[in-house]
Amino acid sequence: MAAGNNPMEQFAIRVIHPFEAGGYDVSFTNSALWMLIALGVIAAFLFVGTARPQLVPGRMQAAVEYMYDFVRGMIDDNVGPEGKRFTPLIFSVFIFVLILNLLGLIPWVHAFTPTSHVAVTLALAMIVFLIVCIVGFLRHGLHFLTLFWPKGVNPFLGLFIMPIEVISFLVRPFTLAIRLFANMTAGHVLLNVFGTFVVALGSFGAIPYVFGVVPLAVNVALTALELLIAVIQAYVFALLASIYLNDAVNLH
């Protein structure tokens, strides 16, 4: 997490290597760099954890197995046995969002949090949304559209309910994206602001020993809270993705 006088400076997209293709700016940025770093961390974590599987797992193998079993349990609870085939998808979404969130909290290395930008979270949400739609139509055909017409509803009442159901379905990727983006952005701004308080109080002689302890303690607590939020938001993103998949797999 980059620090600066302006708390919003840490969210600035910076071009590392300019590049243009077909008239479009596809420059390599700090956001792309940290997404690649996240992929590298995930690949290393999974490779080390599964390279030498043992009957009695070591720490890395146990960590990978626990994380995968956690996601698989979430799929079983929300989708059922039919959802097992989608476990790799939800697991990939969960671990990618989780690592992106956590990497952005590393201090002193100009770490960047791609999930603090709605463009990134919306892209992830749209991938989940399109997969849900594709699965729904491939599995149920046009019958998938009955998702917008509650079973057994009065036809007159259904005319009012159907537009609401369609709108609520279409806004899913936006609410999914904004939830993750807003939580990560707000947490990083708070950390930056309180970190600035600690630095400012440190320049006033003996005052830091009296008044600097409070903002420092708050900053430590906020850092712990932000770590928790990073994990929870990855879980919520994967949980909602599995719930949306349930609509496509188990059409009600």
Side-chain angles (χ1 to χ4, degrees):
M1 182 187 63
N5 294 328
N6 182 359
M8 304 306 293
E9 183 183 351
Q10 59 185 308
F11 305 116
I13 298 290
R14 293 182 173 84
V15 175
I16 297 176
H17 183 73
F19 189 73
E20 186 175 316
Y24 293 94
D25 183 8
V26 290
S27 300
F28 186 70
T29 64
N30 53 344
S31 180
L33 172 64
W34 282 93
M35 282 191 277
L36 287 177
I37 292 174
L39 289 176
V41 170
I42 294 169
F45 171 66
L46 296 179
F47 177 79
V48 173
T50 60
R52 291 184 175 182
Q54 298 176 354
L55 185 61
V56 180
R59 291 181 180 179
M60 291 298 292
Q61 181 182 340
V64 173
E65 291 180 355
Y66 174 80
M67 190 175 294
Y68 191 82
D69 287 342
F70 173 77
V71 174
R72 185 171 60 183
M74 182 170 58
I75 293 291
D76 289 340
D77 292 340
N78 292 286
V79 185
E82 293 292 326
K84 288 184 178 180
R85 68 184 68 182
F86 300 104
T87 301
L89 168 66
I90 302 301
F91 177 76
S92 299
V93 170
F94 171 72
I95 195 171
F96 185 59
V97 173
L98 175 63
I99 297 302
L100 285 180
N101 292 349
L102 293 178
L103 286 177
L105 293 171
I106 300 176
W108 306 308
V109 294
H110 301 287
F112 184 84
T113 311
T115 47
S116 65
H117 280 263
V118 71
V120 174
T121 59
L122 182 59
L124 291 171
M126 286 302 298
I127 291 173
V128 172
F129 178 75
L130 291 175
I131 290 176
V132 168
C133 292
I134 292 171
V135 170
F137 281 110
L138 288 179
R139 190 176 179 86
H140 305 286
L142 293 178
H143 188 63
F144 180 61
L145 296 176
T146 59
L147 177 68
F148 309 122
W149 189 275
K151 187 176 181 180
V153 70
N154 180 281
F156 180 76
L157 185 60
L159 293 176
F160 293 95
I161 295 178
M162 187 177 68
I164 298 174
E165 291 290 334
V166 172
I167 294 173
S168 65
F169 182 81
L170 294 178
V171 300
R172 282 180 175 181
F174 301 98
T175 57
L176 191 61
I178 292 172
R179 181 183 293 104
L180 176 58
F181 146 75
N183 277 279
M184 298 312 300
T185 301
H188 281 63
V189 169
L190 281 175
L191 284 177
N192 187 282
V193 170
F194 275 92
T196 303
F197 288 164
V198 174
V199 174
L201 288 172
S203 61
F204 289 100
I207 292 181
Y209 300 102
V210 180
F211 300 104
V213 174
V214 175
L216 179 59
V218 172
N219 216 41
V220 172
L222 284 175
T223 301
L225 179 62
E226 187 66 10
L227 282 170
L228 180 62
I229 291 174
V231 176
I232 291 176
Q233 287 305 311
Y235 166 72
V236 170
F237 197 95
L239 176 64
L240 291 176
S242 64
I243 292 174
Y244 298 159
L245 269 174
N246 179 56
D247 292 335
V249 175
N250 303 309
L251 185 62
H252 297 293

